[in-house]
Amino acid sequence: MTPSWQPLATPARLQARAALLAQIRQFFAQRQVLEVQTPVLAAHGVTDVHIEQLCVGSAERWLQTSPEYAMKRLLAAGVGDCYQMTPAFRAGEYGRLHNPEFTLLEWYRCDYDAPALMREVGALVDQLLGPAPMASQRYADAFIAQGLPDPLSADTQVLWQAAQDRRDVAAPPDGLDRDGLLDWLLSTQVVPGLPRRCFITHYPASQAVLARLSPQDDRVAERFELFCDGVELANGFHELTDATALGERWQRDQAKRVARGDAPGSMDARLLSAMASGLPDCAGVALGVDRVFMLAQGLDSIAQGLTFDWGNA
Amino acid sequence: MASFSTSQFKSGLKILLDGEPYTIVDNEFVKPGKGQAFNRVKVRNLKTGKVIDRTFKSGESVEGADVMETDMQYLYNDGEFYYFMTPEDFEQHAASAELIGDTGKWLKEQDTCSVTLYNGEPLSVEPPLHVTLTVTQTDPGLKGDTSSGGSKPATLETGAVVQVPLFIQEGELLRVDTRTGEYVSRAKE
């Protein structure tokens, strides 16, 4: 049998994709945000509990799961507002909305907080997808609006019971920790009920990743995500700048990975040094380019907007 | 039996859940960017046909079900069991009349059927898409009838009853579509 060699996207689709990339570059050029490029292969990866990396064994290097660490080193070096569009790699993520190699748009704005950056994300999405009303809900309020317990204060047992009581979907799998259960509830119960374009803000502190905690309420982080038509499109932080806190979070991640029986992540000492020397107050966000293109074109899967997906790359 | 990780899930994969054999109908990978990954699957119970939803943590493994489809020749039935044979090694398999159910009316001796085996035992039997059967009983049609006019019931050698054109007579061979149970055409021996 001859292997299928043809691209998934039609020539017309690829023209539309090129136009979208040009539109993004123009958006940032108009705002004087600098386009940068950082290495895709680097000596370290990340410690994220739920992100698996691809290692290039012969080079003993990691394919980057996002350009975040390198861009923060640029920020610490005084580069200022910057963005890039880059391939990023996450092992095992393959489905309608996932491809192990995908394109991220990531940008950072100095002296922005989360609401300021959310306004800019909204402006870009309006340009790429056409204007539409933008909603915003706090993580906890979005749960409560769906009749679920308060995810910040309810006992894990109460959350489990709420998940079991849902009849419209299969029960969550056994062996989830509290955050895993919250992820299940968010994916299956909360996101489907969101307005067409909606930010979720104030994530639980346990899911802060690299966002700072709220000075008003340390149960939540200054982290936001954007969902468009139920598709997770962007994830942003008012960035943590405290190197000590970063080191502590990494250690917590590592402990969880090891407890689960997985290899610990590879901690990037260069980022720690950069943060210790001083990361400016900034907010940053990553937006899935393949997904925004999928939505712009009304496609069923990101694969339809790619030249070659994981299955025929 | 091998076990399968969620990354190997795809439509048609046969897996064992709660001790029952299932086939995967639909598999969706769901993952919040920074969060836990899940596989939401629809699976069909191969015994009952019932479709249910299940969610797995991505990376979990599930035992495979020893299910295979084999072409077999239908031999005969004794009222209680239907007997099939794999033509390569003449091995015989018996399927209960209960399991065969309504399919029995399309089974003609010597015909090749697709038999699904679970742990070596027949789980289901698919008749050929088209079978050729003799009319054993039908009322005589009126003289001068053409294929364009009306229809009447005809009983076939296996007991199946199908609607046929009025010109069909007893003893004729008919080609029938087993999926719809509809008459297709006259057939030659």
Side-chain angles (χ1 to χ4, degrees), chain A residues 48 50 93-94 98 169-170 173 175-176 180 183-184 187 223 232 235, chain B residues 28-38 40 53-57 60:
Chain A
D48 288 60
H50 295 297
E93 302 191 5
Y94 188 31
H98 294 83
V169 289
L176 293 177
D183 287 338
W184 183 88
S187 299
R223 171 184 169 195
E232 181 189 1
N235 174 62
Chain B
E28 194 188 5
F29 178 78
V30 182
K31 184 182 187 300
K34 301 284 186 188
Q36 172 74 49
F38 301 100
R40 297 178 69 182
D53 295 316
R54 283 291 278 265
T55 306
F56 297 91
K57 275 201 293 183
E60 270 188 277

PDB file of all heavy atoms in Angstrom, chain A residues 48 50 93-94 98 169-170 173 175-176 180 183-184 187 223 232 235, chain B residues 28-38 40 53-57 60:
ATOM      1  N   ASP A  48       6.263  20.711  34.929  1.00  0.00           N
ATOM      2  CA  ASP A  48       4.796  20.599  34.957  1.00  0.00           C
ATOM      3  C   ASP A  48       4.354  19.160  35.205  1.00  0.00           C
ATOM      4  O   ASP A  48       4.842  18.232  34.556  1.00  0.00           O
ATOM      5  CB  ASP A  48       4.185  21.061  33.636  1.00  0.00           C
ATOM      6  CG  ASP A  48       4.261  22.566  33.467  1.00  0.00           C
ATOM      7  OD1 ASP A  48       5.392  23.071  33.468  1.00  0.00           O
ATOM      8  OD2 ASP A  48       3.206  23.204  33.320  1.00  0.00           O
ATOM      9  N   HIS A  50       1.574  17.705  34.492  1.00  0.00           N
ATOM     10  CA  HIS A  50       0.784  17.058  33.447  1.00  0.00           C
ATOM     11  C   HIS A  50       1.266  17.379  32.030  1.00  0.00           C
ATOM     12  O   HIS A  50       0.497  17.337  31.091  1.00  0.00           O
ATOM     13  CB  HIS A  50      -0.691  17.437  33.586  1.00  0.00           C
ATOM     14  CG  HIS A  50      -1.309  16.915  34.847  1.00  0.00           C
ATOM     15  ND1 HIS A  50      -1.419  15.568  35.114  1.00  0.00           N
ATOM     16  CD2 HIS A  50      -1.809  17.548  35.929  1.00  0.00           C
ATOM     17  CE1 HIS A  50      -1.981  15.400  36.299  1.00  0.00           C
ATOM     18  NE2 HIS A  50      -2.222  16.590  36.814  1.00  0.00           N
ATOM     19  N   GLU A  93       0.113  14.087  23.341  1.00  0.00           N
ATOM     20  CA  GLU A  93      -1.112  14.883  23.205  1.00  0.00           C
ATOM     21  C   GLU A  93      -1.539  14.867  21.746  1.00  0.00           C
ATOM     22  O   GLU A  93      -0.996  15.591  20.922  1.00  0.00           O
ATOM     23  CB  GLU A  93      -0.871  16.322  23.706  1.00  0.00           C
ATOM     24  CG  GLU A  93      -0.404  16.337  25.157  1.00  0.00           C
ATOM     25  CD  GLU A  93      -0.416  17.740  25.763  1.00  0.00           C
ATOM     26  OE1 GLU A  93      -0.877  18.684  25.099  1.00  0.00           O
ATOM     27  OE2 GLU A  93       0.030  17.868  26.915  1.00  0.00           O
ATOM     28  N   TYR A  94      -2.507  14.015  21.462  1.00  0.00           N
ATOM     29  CA  TYR A  94      -2.916  13.819  20.076  1.00  0.00           C
ATOM     30  C   TYR A  94      -4.412  13.557  20.048  1.00  0.00           C
ATOM     31  O   TYR A  94      -4.897  12.624  20.669  1.00  0.00           O
ATOM     32  CB  TYR A  94      -2.145  12.626  19.476  1.00  0.00           C
ATOM     33  CG  TYR A  94      -2.328  12.419  17.994  1.00  0.00           C
ATOM     34  CD1 TYR A  94      -2.565  13.486  17.139  1.00  0.00           C
ATOM     35  CD2 TYR A  94      -2.257  11.137  17.446  1.00  0.00           C
ATOM     36  CE1 TYR A  94      -2.721  13.286  15.772  1.00  0.00           C
ATOM     37  CE2 TYR A  94      -2.399  10.929  16.077  1.00  0.00           C
ATOM     38  CZ  TYR A  94      -2.635  12.006  15.244  1.00  0.00           C
ATOM     39  OH  TYR A  94      -2.795  11.814  13.899  1.00  0.00           O
ATOM     40  N   HIS A  98      -5.495  18.456  19.634  1.00  0.00           N
ATOM     41  CA  HIS A  98      -4.097  18.306  20.036  1.00  0.00           C
ATOM     42  C   HIS A  98      -3.259  17.685  18.931  1.00  0.00           C
ATOM     43  O   HIS A  98      -3.735  16.830  18.189  1.00  0.00           O
ATOM     44  CB  HIS A  98      -3.988  17.407  21.277  1.00  0.00           C
ATOM     45  CG  HIS A  98      -4.590  17.998  22.511  1.00  0.00           C
ATOM     46  ND1 HIS A  98      -5.931  17.919  22.774  1.00  0.00           N
ATOM     47  CD2 HIS A  98      -4.045  18.677  23.542  1.00  0.00           C
ATOM     48  CE1 HIS A  98      -6.179  18.540  23.931  1.00  0.00           C
ATOM     49  NE2 HIS A  98      -5.054  19.004  24.410  1.00  0.00           N
ATOM     50  N   VAL A 169     -22.724  12.449  31.870  1.00  0.00           N
ATOM     51  CA  VAL A 169     -21.451  11.909  31.376  1.00  0.00           C
ATOM     52  C   VAL A 169     -21.016  10.756  32.256  1.00  0.00           C
ATOM     53  O   VAL A 169     -21.512  10.581  33.366  1.00  0.00           O
ATOM     54  CB  VAL A 169     -20.320  12.972  31.406  1.00  0.00           C
ATOM     55  CG1 VAL A 169     -20.539  14.029  30.359  1.00  0.00           C
ATOM     56  CG2 VAL A 169     -20.203  13.592  32.787  1.00  0.00           C
ATOM     57  N   ALA A 170     -20.062   9.972  31.734  1.00  0.00           N
ATOM     58  CA  ALA A 170     -19.521   8.872  32.519  1.00  0.00           C
ATOM     59  C   ALA A 170     -18.820   9.424  33.751  1.00  0.00           C
ATOM     60  O   ALA A 170     -18.314  10.542  33.750  1.00  0.00           O
ATOM     61  CB  ALA A 170     -18.542   8.084  31.664  1.00  0.00           C
ATOM     62  N   PRO A 173     -12.687   8.962  36.239  1.00  0.00           N
ATOM     63  CA  PRO A 173     -11.904   7.760  36.555  1.00  0.00           C
ATOM     64  C   PRO A 173     -11.409   7.790  37.991  1.00  0.00           C
ATOM     65  O   PRO A 173     -11.256   8.859  38.583  1.00  0.00           O
ATOM     66  CB  PRO A 173     -10.737   7.826  35.566  1.00  0.00           C
ATOM     67  CG  PRO A 173     -10.661   9.241  35.120  1.00  0.00           C
ATOM     68  CD  PRO A 173     -12.031   9.821  35.254  1.00  0.00           C
ATOM     69  N   GLY A 175      -8.754   7.374  41.126  1.00  0.00           N
ATOM     70  CA  GLY A 175      -7.339   7.697  41.313  1.00  0.00           C
ATOM     71  C   GLY A 175      -6.971   9.116  40.943  1.00  0.00           C
ATOM     72  O   GLY A 175      -5.793   9.424  40.787  1.00  0.00           O
ATOM     73  N   LEU A 176      -7.976   9.992  40.770  1.00  0.00           N
ATOM     74  CA  LEU A 176      -7.653  11.390  40.500  1.00  0.00           C
ATOM     75  C   LEU A 176      -7.362  12.101  41.815  1.00  0.00           C
ATOM     76  O   LEU A 176      -8.038  11.859  42.810  1.00  0.00           O
ATOM     77  CB  LEU A 176      -8.834  12.093  39.831  1.00  0.00           C
ATOM     78  CG  LEU A 176      -9.202  11.657  38.423  1.00  0.00           C
ATOM     79  CD1 LEU A 176     -10.443  12.406  37.957  1.00  0.00           C
ATOM     80  CD2 LEU A 176      -8.043  11.906  37.475  1.00  0.00           C
ATOM     81  N   GLY A 180      -6.915  16.947  39.698  1.00  0.00           N
ATOM     82  CA  GLY A 180      -7.366  16.121  38.574  1.00  0.00           C
ATOM     83  C   GLY A 180      -8.883  16.102  38.498  1.00  0.00           C
ATOM     84  O   GLY A 180      -9.480  16.179  37.416  1.00  0.00           O
ATOM     85  N   ASP A 183     -10.048  19.350  37.190  1.00  0.00           N
ATOM     86  CA  ASP A 183      -9.852  19.363  35.729  1.00  0.00           C
ATOM     87  C   ASP A 183     -10.989  18.623  35.022  1.00  0.00           C
ATOM     88  O   ASP A 183     -11.481  19.058  33.985  1.00  0.00           O
ATOM     89  CB  ASP A 183      -8.515  18.689  35.357  1.00  0.00           C
ATOM     90  CG  ASP A 183      -7.317  19.550  35.711  1.00  0.00           C
ATOM     91  OD1 ASP A 183      -7.481  20.782  35.834  1.00  0.00           O
ATOM     92  OD2 ASP A 183      -6.214  18.995  35.875  1.00  0.00           O
ATOM     93  N   TRP A 184     -11.383  17.482  35.610  1.00  0.00           N
ATOM     94  CA  TRP A 184     -12.476  16.704  35.013  1.00  0.00           C
ATOM     95  C   TRP A 184     -13.771  17.514  35.043  1.00  0.00           C
ATOM     96  O   TRP A 184     -14.505  17.573  34.050  1.00  0.00           O
ATOM     97  CB  TRP A 184     -12.649  15.374  35.766  1.00  0.00           C
ATOM     98  CG  TRP A 184     -13.698  14.493  35.165  1.00  0.00           C
ATOM     99  CD1 TRP A 184     -13.529  13.578  34.165  1.00  0.00           C
ATOM    100  CD2 TRP A 184     -15.094  14.463  35.518  1.00  0.00           C
ATOM    101  NE1 TRP A 184     -14.728  12.982  33.869  1.00  0.00           N
ATOM    102  CE2 TRP A 184     -15.707  13.497  34.676  1.00  0.00           C
ATOM    103  CE3 TRP A 184     -15.879  15.127  36.442  1.00  0.00           C
ATOM    104  CZ2 TRP A 184     -17.064  13.192  34.747  1.00  0.00           C
ATOM    105  CZ3 TRP A 184     -17.228  14.838  36.510  1.00  0.00           C
ATOM    106  CH2 TRP A 184     -17.817  13.883  35.675  1.00  0.00           C
ATOM    107  N   SER A 187     -13.586  20.402  32.515  1.00  0.00           N
ATOM    108  CA  SER A 187     -13.691  19.975  31.110  1.00  0.00           C
ATOM    109  C   SER A 187     -15.079  19.493  30.744  1.00  0.00           C
ATOM    110  O   SER A 187     -15.566  19.777  29.655  1.00  0.00           O
ATOM    111  CB  SER A 187     -12.699  18.835  30.824  1.00  0.00           C
ATOM    112  OG  SER A 187     -11.383  19.258  31.040  1.00  0.00           O
ATOM    113  N   ARG A 223      -4.214  33.959  37.306  1.00  0.00           N
ATOM    114  CA  ARG A 223      -4.105  33.180  36.075  1.00  0.00           C
ATOM    115  C   ARG A 223      -5.442  33.238  35.365  1.00  0.00           C
ATOM    116  O   ARG A 223      -6.499  33.195  36.011  1.00  0.00           O
ATOM    117  CB  ARG A 223      -3.747  31.737  36.418  1.00  0.00           C
ATOM    118  CG  ARG A 223      -3.811  30.798  35.231  1.00  0.00           C
ATOM    119  CD  ARG A 223      -3.540  29.341  35.619  1.00  0.00           C
ATOM    120  NE  ARG A 223      -3.874  28.479  34.495  1.00  0.00           N
ATOM    121  CZ  ARG A 223      -4.028  27.169  34.565  1.00  0.00           C
ATOM    122  NH1 ARG A 223      -3.867  26.550  35.732  1.00  0.00           N
ATOM    123  NH2 ARG A 223      -4.349  26.464  33.498  1.00  0.00           N
ATOM    124  N   GLU A 232     -10.334  25.576  24.514  1.00  0.00           N
ATOM    125  CA  GLU A 232      -9.353  26.313  25.308  1.00  0.00           C
ATOM    126  C   GLU A 232      -8.356  26.949  24.350  1.00  0.00           C
ATOM    127  O   GLU A 232      -7.656  26.258  23.620  1.00  0.00           O
ATOM    128  CB  GLU A 232      -8.631  25.329  26.247  1.00  0.00           C
ATOM    129  CG  GLU A 232      -7.611  25.983  27.140  1.00  0.00           C
ATOM    130  CD  GLU A 232      -6.765  24.942  27.885  1.00  0.00           C
ATOM    131  OE1 GLU A 232      -6.980  23.726  27.672  1.00  0.00           O
ATOM    132  OE2 GLU A 232      -5.893  25.343  28.653  1.00  0.00           O
ATOM    133  N   ASN A 235      -3.857  30.730  27.635  1.00  0.00           N
ATOM    134  CA  ASN A 235      -3.583  30.614  29.063  1.00  0.00           C
ATOM    135  C   ASN A 235      -2.604  31.718  29.434  1.00  0.00           C
ATOM    136  O   ASN A 235      -1.548  31.832  28.800  1.00  0.00           O
ATOM    137  CB  ASN A 235      -2.960  29.238  29.349  1.00  0.00           C
ATOM    138  CG  ASN A 235      -2.521  29.083  30.784  1.00  0.00           C
ATOM    139  OD1 ASN A 235      -3.354  29.151  31.690  1.00  0.00           O
ATOM    140  ND2 ASN A 235      -1.239  28.891  31.003  1.00  0.00           N
TER     141      ASN A 235
ATOM    142  N   GLU B  28     -12.111  10.171  22.387  1.00  0.00           N
ATOM    143  CA  GLU B  28     -11.781  11.595  22.348  1.00  0.00           C
ATOM    144  C   GLU B  28     -10.730  11.903  23.413  1.00  0.00           C
ATOM    145  O   GLU B  28     -10.892  11.552  24.579  1.00  0.00           O
ATOM    146  CB  GLU B  28     -13.046  12.434  22.595  1.00  0.00           C
ATOM    147  CG  GLU B  28     -12.851  13.894  22.243  1.00  0.00           C
ATOM    148  CD  GLU B  28     -14.029  14.775  22.656  1.00  0.00           C
ATOM    149  OE1 GLU B  28     -14.952  14.271  23.301  1.00  0.00           O
ATOM    150  OE2 GLU B  28     -13.982  15.975  22.334  1.00  0.00           O
ATOM    151  N   PHE B  29      -9.647  12.553  22.973  1.00  0.00           N
ATOM    152  CA  PHE B  29      -8.597  12.971  23.899  1.00  0.00           C
ATOM    153  C   PHE B  29      -8.953  14.355  24.415  1.00  0.00           C
ATOM    154  O   PHE B  29      -9.168  15.274  23.639  1.00  0.00           O
ATOM    155  CB  PHE B  29      -7.250  12.982  23.174  1.00  0.00           C
ATOM    156  CG  PHE B  29      -6.098  13.439  24.023  1.00  0.00           C
ATOM    157  CD1 PHE B  29      -5.515  12.587  24.949  1.00  0.00           C
ATOM    158  CD2 PHE B  29      -5.594  14.720  23.896  1.00  0.00           C
ATOM    159  CE1 PHE B  29      -4.446  12.997  25.737  1.00  0.00           C
ATOM    160  CE2 PHE B  29      -4.519  15.149  24.678  1.00  0.00           C
ATOM    161  CZ  PHE B  29      -3.948  14.281  25.597  1.00  0.00           C
ATOM    162  N   VAL B  30      -9.061  14.494  25.741  1.00  0.00           N
ATOM    163  CA  VAL B  30      -9.448  15.767  26.360  1.00  0.00           C
ATOM    164  C   VAL B  30      -8.365  16.161  27.353  1.00  0.00           C
ATOM    165  O   VAL B  30      -7.972  15.352  28.191  1.00  0.00           O
ATOM    166  CB  VAL B  30     -10.777  15.613  27.131  1.00  0.00           C
ATOM    167  CG1 VAL B  30     -11.198  16.941  27.732  1.00  0.00           C
ATOM    168  CG2 VAL B  30     -11.865  15.070  26.229  1.00  0.00           C
ATOM    169  N   LYS B  31      -7.872  17.406  27.247  1.00  0.00           N
ATOM    170  CA  LYS B  31      -6.844  17.810  28.194  1.00  0.00           C
ATOM    171  C   LYS B  31      -6.815  19.317  28.350  1.00  0.00           C
ATOM    172  O   LYS B  31      -6.593  20.032  27.395  1.00  0.00           O
ATOM    173  CB  LYS B  31      -5.467  17.347  27.714  1.00  0.00           C
ATOM    174  CG  LYS B  31      -4.364  17.658  28.708  1.00  0.00           C
ATOM    175  CD  LYS B  31      -3.005  17.234  28.179  1.00  0.00           C
ATOM    176  CE  LYS B  31      -1.924  17.392  29.238  1.00  0.00           C
ATOM    177  NZ  LYS B  31      -1.785  18.770  29.714  1.00  0.00           N
ATOM    178  N   PRO B  32      -7.045  19.808  29.585  1.00  0.00           N
ATOM    179  CA  PRO B  32      -6.761  21.219  29.827  1.00  0.00           C
ATOM    180  C   PRO B  32      -5.251  21.404  29.668  1.00  0.00           C
ATOM    181  O   PRO B  32      -4.482  20.535  30.089  1.00  0.00           O
ATOM    182  CB  PRO B  32      -7.176  21.440  31.285  1.00  0.00           C
ATOM    183  CG  PRO B  32      -7.925  20.203  31.698  1.00  0.00           C
ATOM    184  CD  PRO B  32      -7.455  19.098  30.804  1.00  0.00           C
ATOM    185  N   GLY B  33      -4.838  22.505  29.049  1.00  0.00           N
ATOM    186  CA  GLY B  33      -3.425  22.704  28.722  1.00  0.00           C
ATOM    187  C   GLY B  33      -2.464  22.333  29.832  1.00  0.00           C
ATOM    188  O   GLY B  33      -1.478  21.642  29.608  1.00  0.00           O
ATOM    189  N   LYS B  34      -2.758  22.784  31.046  1.00  0.00           N
ATOM    190  CA  LYS B  34      -1.844  22.528  32.160  1.00  0.00           C
ATOM    191  C   LYS B  34      -2.311  21.376  33.032  1.00  0.00           C
ATOM    192  O   LYS B  34      -1.705  21.096  34.055  1.00  0.00           O
ATOM    193  CB  LYS B  34      -1.732  23.791  33.044  1.00  0.00           C
ATOM    194  CG  LYS B  34      -1.228  25.022  32.316  1.00  0.00           C
ATOM    195  CD  LYS B  34       0.257  24.955  32.080  1.00  0.00           C
ATOM    196  CE  LYS B  34       0.777  26.249  31.474  1.00  0.00           C
ATOM    197  NZ  LYS B  34       2.187  26.107  31.064  1.00  0.00           N
ATOM    198  N   GLY B  35      -3.423  20.757  32.666  1.00  0.00           N
ATOM    199  CA  GLY B  35      -4.043  19.820  33.598  1.00  0.00           C
ATOM    200  C   GLY B  35      -4.024  18.364  33.170  1.00  0.00           C
ATOM    201  O   GLY B  35      -3.388  17.978  32.188  1.00  0.00           O
ATOM    202  N   GLN B  36      -4.771  17.595  33.935  1.00  0.00           N
ATOM    203  CA  GLN B  36      -4.893  16.156  33.751  1.00  0.00           C
ATOM    204  C   GLN B  36      -5.498  15.826  32.379  1.00  0.00           C
ATOM    205  O   GLN B  36      -6.491  16.426  31.982  1.00  0.00           O
ATOM    206  CB  GLN B  36      -5.805  15.609  34.861  1.00  0.00           C
ATOM    207  CG  GLN B  36      -6.194  14.168  34.725  1.00  0.00           C
ATOM    208  CD  GLN B  36      -5.052  13.228  35.068  1.00  0.00           C
ATOM    209  OE1 GLN B  36      -4.398  13.361  36.102  1.00  0.00           O
ATOM    210  NE2 GLN B  36      -4.794  12.289  34.186  1.00  0.00           N
ATOM    211  N   ALA B  37      -4.913  14.860  31.694  1.00  0.00           N
ATOM    212  CA  ALA B  37      -5.448  14.417  30.402  1.00  0.00           C
ATOM    213  C   ALA B  37      -6.389  13.237  30.599  1.00  0.00           C
ATOM    214  O   ALA B  37      -6.167  12.380  31.451  1.00  0.00           O
ATOM    215  CB  ALA B  37      -4.302  14.014  29.480  1.00  0.00           C
ATOM    216  N   PHE B  38      -7.461  13.236  29.807  1.00  0.00           N
ATOM    217  CA  PHE B  38      -8.457  12.160  29.862  1.00  0.00           C
ATOM    218  C   PHE B  38      -8.712  11.612  28.456  1.00  0.00           C
ATOM    219  O   PHE B  38      -8.525  12.313  27.470  1.00  0.00           O
ATOM    220  CB  PHE B  38      -9.800  12.677  30.386  1.00  0.00           C
ATOM    221  CG  PHE B  38      -9.746  13.288  31.754  1.00  0.00           C
ATOM    222  CD1 PHE B  38      -9.704  14.663  31.913  1.00  0.00           C
ATOM    223  CD2 PHE B  38      -9.738  12.489  32.877  1.00  0.00           C
ATOM    224  CE1 PHE B  38      -9.655  15.233  33.175  1.00  0.00           C
ATOM    225  CE2 PHE B  38      -9.686  13.048  34.138  1.00  0.00           C
ATOM    226  CZ  PHE B  38      -9.643  14.416  34.293  1.00  0.00           C
ATOM    227  N   ARG B  40     -12.059  10.211  26.752  1.00  0.00           N
ATOM    228  CA  ARG B  40     -13.493   9.934  26.878  1.00  0.00           C
ATOM    229  C   ARG B  40     -13.874   9.019  25.719  1.00  0.00           C
ATOM    230  O   ARG B  40     -13.693   9.375  24.566  1.00  0.00           O
ATOM    231  CB  ARG B  40     -14.293  11.230  26.823  1.00  0.00           C
ATOM    232  CG  ARG B  40     -13.971  12.170  27.982  1.00  0.00           C
ATOM    233  CD  ARG B  40     -14.726  13.467  27.874  1.00  0.00           C
ATOM    234  NE  ARG B  40     -16.155  13.277  28.097  1.00  0.00           N
ATOM    235  CZ  ARG B  40     -17.045  14.266  28.009  1.00  0.00           C
ATOM    236  NH1 ARG B  40     -16.660  15.475  27.671  1.00  0.00           N
ATOM    237  NH2 ARG B  40     -18.313  14.037  28.240  1.00  0.00           N
ATOM    238  N   ASP B  53     -20.670   5.239  27.931  1.00  0.00           N
ATOM    239  CA  ASP B  53     -19.542   6.172  27.975  1.00  0.00           C
ATOM    240  C   ASP B  53     -18.623   5.786  29.124  1.00  0.00           C
ATOM    241  O   ASP B  53     -19.086   5.394  30.191  1.00  0.00           O
ATOM    242  CB  ASP B  53     -20.040   7.596  28.236  1.00  0.00           C
ATOM    243  CG  ASP B  53     -20.892   8.115  27.105  1.00  0.00           C
ATOM    244  OD1 ASP B  53     -20.503   7.902  25.947  1.00  0.00           O
ATOM    245  OD2 ASP B  53     -21.940   8.720  27.380  1.00  0.00           O
ATOM    246  N   ARG B  54     -17.334   5.920  28.901  1.00  0.00           N
ATOM    247  CA  ARG B  54     -16.363   5.725  29.987  1.00  0.00           C
ATOM    248  C   ARG B  54     -15.275   6.787  29.859  1.00  0.00           C
ATOM    249  O   ARG B  54     -14.968   7.217  28.749  1.00  0.00           O
ATOM    250  CB  ARG B  54     -15.720   4.334  29.912  1.00  0.00           C
ATOM    251  CG  ARG B  54     -16.608   3.231  30.418  1.00  0.00           C
ATOM    252  CD  ARG B  54     -16.836   3.281  31.922  1.00  0.00           C
ATOM    253  NE  ARG B  54     -15.776   2.682  32.682  1.00  0.00           N
ATOM    254  CZ  ARG B  54     -15.787   1.413  33.106  1.00  0.00           C
ATOM    255  NH1 ARG B  54     -16.787   0.626  32.841  1.00  0.00           N
ATOM    256  NH2 ARG B  54     -14.783   0.944  33.804  1.00  0.00           N
ATOM    257  N   THR B  55     -14.729   7.190  30.988  1.00  0.00           N
ATOM    258  CA  THR B  55     -13.622   8.141  30.979  1.00  0.00           C
ATOM    259  C   THR B  55     -12.409   7.494  31.633  1.00  0.00           C
ATOM    260  O   THR B  55     -12.531   6.883  32.696  1.00  0.00           O
ATOM    261  CB  THR B  55     -13.997   9.420  31.750  1.00  0.00           C
ATOM    262  OG1 THR B  55     -15.209   9.931  31.209  1.00  0.00           O
ATOM    263  CG2 THR B  55     -12.918  10.479  31.599  1.00  0.00           C
ATOM    264  N   PHE B  56     -11.266   7.609  30.984  1.00  0.00           N
ATOM    265  CA  PHE B  56     -10.020   7.084  31.526  1.00  0.00           C
ATOM    266  C   PHE B  56      -9.034   8.218  31.733  1.00  0.00           C
ATOM    267  O   PHE B  56      -9.070   9.209  31.012  1.00  0.00           O
ATOM    268  CB  PHE B  56      -9.395   6.072  30.555  1.00  0.00           C
ATOM    269  CG  PHE B  56     -10.241   4.861  30.317  1.00  0.00           C
ATOM    270  CD1 PHE B  56     -11.154   4.829  29.269  1.00  0.00           C
ATOM    271  CD2 PHE B  56     -10.134   3.761  31.146  1.00  0.00           C
ATOM    272  CE1 PHE B  56     -11.951   3.715  29.049  1.00  0.00           C
ATOM    273  CE2 PHE B  56     -10.921   2.643  30.927  1.00  0.00           C
ATOM    274  CZ  PHE B  56     -11.836   2.617  29.886  1.00  0.00           C
ATOM    275  N   LYS B  57      -8.158   8.054  32.716  1.00  0.00           N
ATOM    276  CA  LYS B  57      -7.007   8.947  32.805  1.00  0.00           C
ATOM    277  C   LYS B  57      -6.082   8.560  31.671  1.00  0.00           C
ATOM    278  O   LYS B  57      -5.801   7.375  31.480  1.00  0.00           O
ATOM    279  CB  LYS B  57      -6.265   8.717  34.130  1.00  0.00           C
ATOM    280  CG  LYS B  57      -6.821   9.485  35.288  1.00  0.00           C
ATOM    281  CD  LYS B  57      -5.787   9.618  36.401  1.00  0.00           C
ATOM    282  CE  LYS B  57      -5.462   8.292  37.058  1.00  0.00           C
ATOM    283  NZ  LYS B  57      -4.519   8.443  38.182  1.00  0.00           N
ATOM    284  N   GLU B  60      -3.542   5.390  31.391  1.00  0.00           N
ATOM    285  CA  GLU B  60      -4.042   4.152  31.994  1.00  0.00           C
ATOM    286  C   GLU B  60      -3.995   3.035  30.959  1.00  0.00           C
ATOM    287  O   GLU B  60      -4.092   3.288  29.766  1.00  0.00           O
ATOM    288  CB  GLU B  60      -5.505   4.327  32.426  1.00  0.00           C
ATOM    289  CG  GLU B  60      -5.717   4.821  33.838  1.00  0.00           C
ATOM    290  CD  GLU B  60      -7.192   4.765  34.231  1.00  0.00           C
ATOM    291  OE1 GLU B  60      -7.931   5.706  33.886  1.00  0.00           O
ATOM    292  OE2 GLU B  60      -7.588   3.786  34.862  1.00  0.00           O
TER     293      GLU B  60
END
